[in-house]
C-alpha cells in the first residue's frame, strides 16, 4: 500500500459472550461471570495491542491463538484451575457465539 493511500477504517469483531459466561459459571461456580468478563476484555486488549504494535501485520497472531492465550490469562488471574478439557469446552463455546463487525472509529 502506498504511503499516501487512504487506510481502511479499523474494524473489530465483537462476540456475544452470554453462552461463554453460562458455561464458565457451570465449570467454575461463583466465578464464571467474572472469568468471562475478564476473558472478553483481555481478548479485545490483546487483539488491539497486537494490531497497533505492528501496522504492517509482521507480528500478527491468529485470532484463536490470542483467544486461547487470553483465556489462560483470565483463568490464572482469577486463580482458577483451568484444565485442558475445560479450556477446550470454553474455546469451543466461544467459537459458537454470534459475532458482528463494528467500526472502531
Amino acid at each position: 500500500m502506498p504511503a499516501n493511500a487512504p487506510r481502511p477504517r479499523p474494524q473489530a469483531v465483537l462476540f456475544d459472550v452470554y453462552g461463554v459466561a453460562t458455561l464458565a459459571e457451570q465449570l467454575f461456580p461463583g466465578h464464571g461471570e467474572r472469568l468471562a468478563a475478564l476473558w472478553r476484555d483481555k481478548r479485545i486488549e490483546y487483539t488491539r495491542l497486537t494490531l497497533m504494535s505492528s501496522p504492517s501485520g509482521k507480528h500478527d497472531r491468529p485470532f484463536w491463538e490470542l483467544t486461547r492465550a487470553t483465556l489462560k490469562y483470565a483463568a490464572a488471574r482469577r486463580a482458577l484451575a483451568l484444565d485442558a478439557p475445560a479450556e477446550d469446552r470454553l474455546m469451543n463455546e466461544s467459537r459458537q457465539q454470534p459475532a458482528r463487525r463494528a467500526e472502531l472509529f
Side-chain angles (χ1 to χ4, degrees):
M1 173 184 293
N4 61 349
R7 295 182 63 119
R9 293 187 83 161
Q11 292 193 349
V13 176
L14 305 177
F15 290 86
D16 175 2
V17 296
Y18 179 74
V20 171
T22 300
L23 176 59
E25 189 62 34
Q26 292 170 3
L27 294 170
F28 304 103
H31 302 280
E33 292 284 332
R34 290 186 305 225
L35 172 62
L38 181 58
W39 184 17
R40 179 197 63 231
D41 292 347
K42 286 299 173 182
R43 186 180 344 187
I44 292 167
E45 180 182 351
Y46 277 36
T47 302
R48 180 182 55 81
L49 290 173
T50 299
L51 292 172
M52 291 178 69
S53 67
S54 181
S56 67
K58 183 178 177 182
H59 299 291
D60 281 356
R61 290 174 59 193
F63 178 76
W64 292 110
E65 182 181 315
L66 288 173
T67 298
R68 188 173 296 273
T70 56
L71 171 57
K72 290 178 179 182
Y73 170 86
R77 180 79 175 153
R78 295 280 175 215
L80 300 172
L82 180 67
D83 60 15
E87 180 181 324
D88 288 343
R89 286 182 66 193
L90 286 164
M91 287 294 296
N92 288 334
E93 184 65 31
S94 180
R95 284 186 187 94
Q96 302 303 315
Q97 298 307 301
R100 63 182 176 83
R101 289 201 167 276
E103 285 193 3
L104 295 177
F105 314 131

